[in-house]
Amino acid sequence: MNTVCSVDGCERDAVARQLCRTHYRRLLDNGDAQADKPLRTFNGNGYVNHGYWRVPVPPELRHLAGGRSSELEHWLVMAQLLGRPLRGDESVHHRNGDRLDNRPENLELWSRWQPSGQRVQDRIADAVALLRRYAPSLLSPRASGRRFRCHGQLPLDFPN
């Protein structure tokens, strides 16, 4: 018969010493259940881990994730595109550098571990797309050599 965690306001089932799993783990690690510290809750849609989106893997796709019930979303998206799990010497690179942007067109498969940073050509393409969207006049031939101020905060000089 499970009881409820003895920490005020916690409604999770107690697993040991009348504490839920999280409060018991905190007690073991810190000597205190840290009742004032909030509990992380999951809504089933995933969560951010080290800047990457981690999502639950449906049972029918677990063969693509090595049987795991959760996986980094960009790995899962790439595995679905390939129709197979990623190999140990493969990684997935975010072309625009945004670790949360897991659209297939932003991901590319690398055959060995990627170096830090991004390719200059990808950064330039993203910059041009940003200018096309928010400041297309700066891409006109008349704009070359012109000084641009981003609301007075960041002066940029464009080369001739």
Side-chain angles (χ1 to χ4, degrees), residues 14-131:
V15 295
R17 293 189 184 176
Q18 298 179 337
L19 295 171
C20 69
R21 186 173 314 282
T22 301
H23 287 119
Y24 180 62
R25 173 59 40 208
R26 289 177 182 174
L27 178 68
L28 292 176
D29 291 346
N30 307 302
D32 179 21
Q34 300 175 329
D36 57 323
K37 188 176 175 184
L39 296 176
R40 184 168 49 173
T41 57
F42 302 100
N43 61 9
N45 296 329
Y47 59 95
V48 176
N49 182 10
H50 298 285
Y52 295 99
W53 192 246
R54 181 171 282 280
V55 296
V57 179
E60 64 273 10
L61 295 179
R62 288 192 183 155
H63 69 282
L64 296 174
R68 291 178 295 280
S69 60
S70 73
E71 183 59 88
L72 297 172
E73 186 179 41
H74 62 289
W75 282 46
L76 185 59
V77 169
M78 184 57 70
Q80 285 179 286
L81 290 171
L82 297 171
R84 63 167 176 80
L86 270 66
R87 297 184 177 106
D89 64 342
E90 295 176 329
S91 66
V92 181
H93 173 69
H94 290 86
R95 298 181 81 193
N96 68 2
D98 181 356
R99 295 176 174 183
L100 299 176
D101 183 356
N102 294 314
R103 295 171 296 128
E105 59 270 18
N106 186 45
L107 302 176
E108 59 186 16
L109 182 67
W110 286 29
S111 63
R112 58 187 167 107
W113 203 251
Q114 64 202 32
S116 63
Q118 291 177 265
R119 282 195 301 259
V120 172
Q121 68 187 32
D122 291 342
R123 298 288 310 266
I124 291 170
D126 290 337
V128 169
L130 185 72
L131 287 171

